Amino acid sequence: MSLADFPITQRWPAAHPDRLQLYSLATPNGIKVSAALEELGLPYEAHKISFDTNDQMTPEFLSLNPNNKIPAILDPDGPGGKPLALFESGAILLYLAEKTGKLIPDDPAGRYHCIQWLMWQMGGLGPMFGQLGHFHYFVADKVKDPYPRERYTVEAKRMLAVLEQRLDGRPYILGDDYSIADIAVWPWIRTLGGFYGAGEITGLDKLANVQRWFADCSERPASQRAISIPS
């Protein structure tokens, strides 16, 4: 089996079929995988999945991810040397880390702690920030009931407090080493205070540990490249 056997390559042909294929957009979830790929130095080819033209709803994209969300990947050199198709940003981060043996601790306890914080982002911080962004930024002029915005503001503040406490005395979420846990959380903090404009209502600017950690993550060359991938 080769990449040509996957329908998605008919719409987005692989110029370099020997490289990992990334189907994405520079949203928080998309940036996660781009940042990991840049940190790891894996050869890859990025394809833009445009929401403006509903690329995520095309039969070709749905053949790779039936959940019609970015990012998704095709790795021509998957387990056993066979191509692997994968969606969900958390699963992709875990796969890339384990494939390379980087950005995740080697010891079992450390590995599970890393997965723990990755799941925390996937199941809590990301969805809650996304809902806050929806009601605070996207439909603020359409939804007059203050409850949804207040509800997700409170939850976002709670999760930021968890992160602030976790980073007390630690350079990164796991401790001394940068990991996929940091990569998963960082783009969402960036979007909360930037694109969503919700930094003030969540008290983000007052969280010293989060701000210090966020600045460090943002200054990494891989992070700076990732925010513009795909171009």
Side-chain angles (χ1 to χ4, degrees):
M1 192 175 192
S2 68
L3 290 190
D5 296 314
F6 291 85
I8 194 167
T9 63
Q10 298 171 14
R11 188 179 182 93
W12 291 278
H16 304 280
D18 58 322
R19 300 179 185 177
L20 186 147
Q21 305 293 305
L22 169 66
Y23 306 90
S24 191
L25 195 64
T27 66
N29 286 332
I31 290 171
K32 290 182 203 174
V33 175
S34 298
L37 287 167
E38 289 292 322
E39 290 280 353
L40 294 168
L42 286 171
Y44 72 98
E45 184 177 350
H47 304 274
K48 182 179 179 180
I49 306 301
S50 175
F51 293 166
D52 292 337
T53 52
N54 285 323
D55 285 349
Q56 75 277 16
M57 300 302 296
T58 60
E60 293 86 355
F61 186 79
L62 290 172
S63 71
L64 184 62
N65 183 1
N67 196 38
N68 63 274
K69 302 291 183 182
I70 61 95
I73 65 167
L74 267 179
D75 184 0
D77 184 27
K82 298 178 181 179
L84 175 70
L86 205 58
F87 64 89
E88 283 295 332
S89 59
I92 296 171
L93 287 179
L94 188 56
Y95 169 70
L96 294 175
E98 295 191 333
K99 175 184 175 75
T100 59
K102 300 177 181 178
L103 298 176
I104 191 169
D106 292 329
D107 66 287
R111 178 177 177 273
Y112 280 113
H113 283 148
C114 184
I115 294 173
Q116 166 185 266
W117 285 101
L118 177 62
M119 295 301 104
W120 176 77
Q121 185 281 310
M122 294 292 297
L125 184 139
M128 293 302 103
F129 281 17
Q131 291 296 330
L132 175 56
H134 178 76
F135 289 105
H136 177 70
Y137 179 81
F138 288 105
V139 298
D141 59 338
K142 299 176 182 178
V143 179
K144 303 305 180 184
D145 186 344
Y147 176 77
R149 182 171 176 267
E150 291 173 358
R151 189 262 184 274
Y152 291 114
T153 298
V154 168
E155 186 62 7
K157 290 173 72 173
R158 187 190 70 80
M159 302 206 80
L160 284 170
V162 172
L163 182 61
E164 175 74 2
Q165 182 181 33
R166 177 64 185 178
L167 291 169
D168 190 20
R170 293 183 178 90
Y172 301 110
I173 290 175
L174 296 186
D176 292 334
D177 297 323
Y178 191 68
S179 73
I180 55 173
D182 301 287
I183 290 175
V185 176
W186 165 74
W188 279 103
I189 301 296
R190 177 177 179 270
T191 298
L192 181 74
F195 184 73
Y196 290 162
E200 183 175 353
I201 65 171
T202 57
L204 176 60
D205 295 342
K206 296 181 175 62
L207 301 176
N209 295 328
V210 172
Q211 288 297 319
R212 180 263 308 157
W213 165 87
F214 175 74
D216 183 72
C217 293
S218 300
E219 290 168 2
R220 298 179 73 91
S223 298
Q224 295 178 12
R225 293 191 296 268
I227 61 176
S228 299
I229 298 171
S231 59

